[in-house]
């Protein structure tokens, strides 16, 4: 079998797999999935996956490290809340896009140091976004409509007369938004802008020599990343939690999103989804396993500490043994399975 034929078959199988996954996600799960599955697992998975896609654009593709992702989650959530509250005539989808643009504008402002800073120093500078946004949301009551605790309640998710109040409805709303955002991101990464991201990441000086505009490329990466993370914040606040406060967007949340792309795989949109699935499912598996083995000793405190230890160990293991993360292991398994299937047909 020629290499071209093998590649064509591999692409055909992959297309069929994506189509089957889409049919299951849109046509089966909303009707047969339990409320627990939809509310506690799939909706947060989708929000975290979109946030990881956003951070992967910045860190995985453009090579710019950020530790302020939770700040842009908060900006998206609070911007949508205020747009809905103060401009109720705007449709929800317009609020969503405007909130993403506000997050993008703030992301570009905090991305300006990337023109002079790199690596660890840039990561530290992005912490300013994390602390500043959390401080502003707590200090100025206008953002939470003068609620003393800073807590905001989610408005009803409604698009074109259709409301998404049930767990299945919120899941479908989140899935639709994440699918559209991921498709547009994929188109961007396959364009000249996406190739500029990779050029800047691989060798900034060489990219400058061949004519890549460093200023525009870096700020575009920060803007696109913040836009996607801001929309993910809307899903996290309004489709999943439905009541949030500034403390919910703390530094732990930023590290959680960073861990997702490290474990799932840098510079891979599929890795963002795989890493998010791991982060959402892993605590449930660990809780069940710990309760079965240790009984009452394995309480919530032990669970949280065990989770941090295992995730930390996995990050070290992946950085040493497989920097491409879970997606590299998945690709190897997929290659073995397709080759065996092809061998049986010969």
């Amino acid at each position: 079998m020629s290499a071209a034929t093998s590649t064509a078959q591999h692409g055909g199988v992959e297309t069929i797999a994506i189509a089957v996954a889409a049919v299951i996600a849109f046509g089966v799960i909303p009707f047969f999935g339990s409320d627990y599955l939809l509310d506690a697992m799939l909706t947060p998975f989708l929000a975290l996956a979109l946030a990881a896609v956003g951070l992967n654009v910045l860190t995985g593709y453009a090579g710019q490290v950020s530790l302020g992702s939770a700040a842009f989650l908060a900006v998206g959530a609070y911007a949508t809340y205020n747009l809905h509250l103060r401009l109720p005539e705007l449709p929800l989808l317009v609020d969503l896009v405007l909130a993403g643009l506000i997050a993008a504008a703030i992301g570009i402002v905090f991305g300006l140091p990337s023109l002079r800073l790199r690596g660890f120093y840039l990561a530290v500078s992005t912490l300013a976004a994390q602390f500043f946004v959390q401080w502003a949301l707590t200090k100025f009551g206008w953002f939470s409509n003068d609620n003393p605790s800073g807590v905001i309640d989610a408005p009803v998710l409604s698009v074109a007369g259709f409301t998404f109040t049930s767990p299945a409805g919120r899941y479908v709303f989140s899935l639709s938004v994440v699918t559209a955002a991921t498709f547009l991101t994929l188109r961007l990464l396959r364009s000249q802008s996406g190739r500029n991201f990779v050029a800047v990441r691989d060798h900034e000086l060489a990219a400058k020599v061949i004519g890549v505009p460093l200023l525009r490329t870096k700020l575009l990466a920060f803007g696109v990343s913040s836009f996607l993370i801001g929309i993910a914040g809307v899903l996290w606040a309004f489709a999943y939690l439905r009541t949030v406060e500034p403390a919910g967007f703390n530094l732990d949340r930023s590290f959680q999103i960073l861990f997702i792309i490290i474990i799932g795989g840098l510079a891979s949109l599929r890795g963002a989804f795989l890493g998010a699935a791991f982060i959402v499912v892993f605590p449930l598996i660990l809780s069940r396993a710990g309760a079965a083995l240790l009984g009452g000793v394995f309480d919530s405190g032990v669970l949280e500490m065990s989770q941090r230890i295992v995730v930390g160990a996995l990050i070290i293991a992946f950085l040493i043994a497989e920097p491409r993360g879970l997606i590299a292991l998945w690709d190897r398994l997929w290659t073995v399975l397709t080759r065996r299937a092809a061998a049986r047909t010969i």
Side-chain angles (χ1 to χ4, degrees):
M1 183 183 296
S2 67
T5 305
S6 177
T7 302
Q9 286 185 348
H10 181 79
V13 172
E14 195 171 57
T15 303
I16 294 173
I18 293 173
V20 171
V23 169
I24 294 173
F26 280 100
V28 177
I29 292 178
F31 298 101
F32 299 101
S34 66
D35 287 353
Y36 177 78
L37 174 69
L38 295 167
D39 232 1
M41 297 181 67
L42 293 181
T43 302
F45 155 71
L46 290 168
L48 288 176
L50 183 58
V53 167
L55 185 59
N56 228 335
V57 169
L58 182 66
T59 302
Y61 287 92
Q64 310 299 306
V65 183
S66 172
L67 296 178
S69 300
F72 304 114
L73 286 174
V75 170
Y78 277 81
T80 303
Y81 171 78
N82 279 283
L83 287 168
H84 181 80
L85 178 71
R86 303 176 199 287
L87 299 171
E89 64 276 9
L90 291 180
L92 176 63
L93 291 182
V94 175
D95 291 342
L96 198 70
V97 174
L98 290 177
L101 291 175
I102 292 171
I106 295 177
I108 289 173
V109 170
F110 283 97
L112 288 174
S114 67
L115 305 177
R116 303 295 298 270
L117 301 175
R118 296 186 182 89
F120 174 75
Y121 299 101
L122 177 60
V124 172
S125 73
T126 58
L127 283 175
Q130 175 68 50
F131 296 134
F132 174 79
V133 169
Q134 201 167 357
W135 170 81
L137 294 177
T138 306
K139 180 72 175 178
F140 302 103
W142 182 85
F143 292 113
S144 58
N145 199 25
D146 294 321
N147 188 323
S149 61
V151 175
I152 59 173
D153 295 322
V156 175
L157 300 176
S158 177
V159 177
F162 295 96
T163 56
F164 302 90
T165 54
S166 66
R170 292 193 296 274
Y171 161 76
V172 170
F173 177 81
S174 302
L175 180 63
S176 302
V177 171
V178 171
T179 302
T182 304
F183 174 75
L184 294 175
T185 304
L186 185 62
R187 292 293 302 270
L188 173 70
L189 294 175
R190 288 178 175 176
S191 68
Q192 184 59 48
S193 296
R195 290 188 284 275
N196 288 347
F197 289 163
V198 175
V200 170
R201 178 199 65 190
D202 289 346
H203 202 298
E204 192 170 313
L205 181 59
K208 184 178 181 180
V209 170
I210 63 175
V212 174
L214 296 185
L215 171 63
R216 191 172 66 190
T217 300
K218 287 185 176 182
L219 294 185
L220 178 63
F222 270 97
V224 172
S225 171
S226 304
F227 178 86
L228 294 170
I229 296 175
I231 292 179
V234 179
L235 300 182
W236 182 262
F238 299 159
Y240 173 46
L241 294 176
R242 300 190 292 284
T243 299
V244 294
E245 58 182 334
F249 301 102
N250 56 17
L251 192 57
D252 285 351
R253 189 70 61 204
S254 293
F255 277 114
Q256 184 185 42
I257 299 169
L258 181 62
F259 294 161
I260 286 174
I261 65 170
I262 293 175
I263 293 175
L266 289 168
S268 168
L269 298 188
R270 293 178 300 142
F273 284 86
L274 207 55
F278 175 83
I279 289 293
V280 171
V281 173
F282 173 69
L284 302 176
I285 297 175
L286 188 63
S287 175
R288 299 289 175 86
L293 294 174
L294 302 176
V297 177
F298 201 82
D299 56 16
S300 59
V302 178
L303 170 64
E304 185 177 356
M305 188 57 65
S306 304
Q307 183 182 342
R308 293 185 179 189
I309 292 172
V310 174
V311 170
L314 281 174
I315 289 173
I316 294 172
F318 275 117
L319 290 176
I320 294 174
E322 183 48 87
R324 287 186 56 213
L326 288 173
I327 195 61
L329 302 179
W330 170 260
D331 285 342
R332 288 177 194 164
L333 177 63
W334 182 260
T335 301
V336 170
L337 293 177
T338 52
R339 282 180 179 173
R340 287 183 180 179
R344 289 174 183 167
T345 60
I346 295 175

